[in-house]
Structure formats: C-alpha cells, structure tokens
Amino acid sequence: MRTLLIVQHSLTGGTLQMAQAAAEGAMAEGGVQVRLLHAAQAGPEDVLAADGYLFATPENLAAISGQLKDFFDRCYYPALDRLNGRPYASLICAGSDGHNAARQIERIATGWRLRAVAEPLIVCTHAQTPEAILAPKHIGEDELMACRARGESMAAGLALGVF
C-alpha cells in the first residue's frame, strides 16, 4: 500500500483544519495509507517511507512557519537524492496572499527533486491586525471542500500509480 504523508504546522488552527480536511479526503479515496503529522513529529524516516506529500503551513511574515522550516531543515539532507520524482502539493493558510510561502516550499521541493502535481492551495483569512492574526481561525466549508478534494486527488493518483 502506498503512503501519503501530510506534514502540517498550525498556530491558530486554520492550517490544521485544512490538513485534516485533506486527510479526510485522502482516507475516503481508500487504497492509500494516510499519515497526518505535526511538523515537529515528522522526521527523515517518515519522509523516506512515504510515496507522496502534502505540506501544510500558515504563511508567517511572507514565509513558511518556523516549525515547517525546522522539519525541512532536519529532513532535507537525510532525504536528498532519495525522493526524486515523488509527488507533492501544498496547502497554505495566509492572512493576505500566501505566494511567498508557496515559492519557498517549491524551492525546497525542487532541491529534493519532487514533482508538483497541483498548484498550491492558498486559503486567505484576511487577518491583518495583530488581534486577527493571533485569533483562532475558522476555515469556510468551501475552502475545506477544496482541501478534501486535494487529499482525494493525491490519494487517487498514488493508488492508481498515476504518480
């Protein structure tokens, strides 16, 4: 059975909701083992054991979260040249635009020689004040449906050997 690894970090809950929805979608597809791990818990052995990846992060100060960056820092060299061609996609919870976080993940994935199988899914919460940025997030059902669909498509692609 192939494995989809979803690595997430969430401070205010938005990214976690997105990652959980993607995991639900992937599990509903069947035929694929789904592992949803917090970035602090995921290590090189998890990365090497997976066949595909979803990376989920908030955009913090125009970058991926520090926890997700730490995950990549700990796993990058142990996995280098051992993941070539494996599929990935990203989920980003952003207060404004999310594109810098998406580019950062893309650059790391390029170094790992991963293959993007979908455009980054960016959910904008429009949180711009300190209070709004730190407040618990509630992702809308339409956005969660898109996250579920992303999980489903990743799982289907893995199960069918499309990627």
Side-chain angles (χ1 to χ4, degrees), residues 127-147:
Q128 293 298 302
T129 65
E131 297 79 20
I133 291 166
L134 294 172
K137 302 299 181 286
H138 301 286
I139 305 303
E141 189 53 39
D142 288 345
E143 289 90 358
L144 292 176
M145 284 177 47
C147 294

Side-chain angles (χ1 to χ4, degrees), residues 6-10 13-28 34-37 54 56 91 137 139 144-145 147-149 151-152:
I6 303 172
V7 179
Q8 67 84 26
H9 173 253
S10 185
T15 304
L16 178 59
Q17 291 167 58
M18 293 170 66
Q20 288 171 332
E24 290 167 10
M27 288 186 274
V34 179
R35 299 193 63 217
L36 173 59
L37 296 177
L54 266 173
L91 306 172
K137 302 299 181 286
I139 305 303
L144 292 176
M145 284 177 47
C147 294
R148 283 187 202 95
E152 280 182 58

Side-chain angles (χ1 to χ4, degrees), residues 34-53:
V34 179
R35 299 193 63 217
L36 173 59
L37 296 177
H38 186 279
Q41 298 170 329
E45 62 284 349
D46 301 302
V47 173
L48 293 169
D51 300 291
Y53 313 93

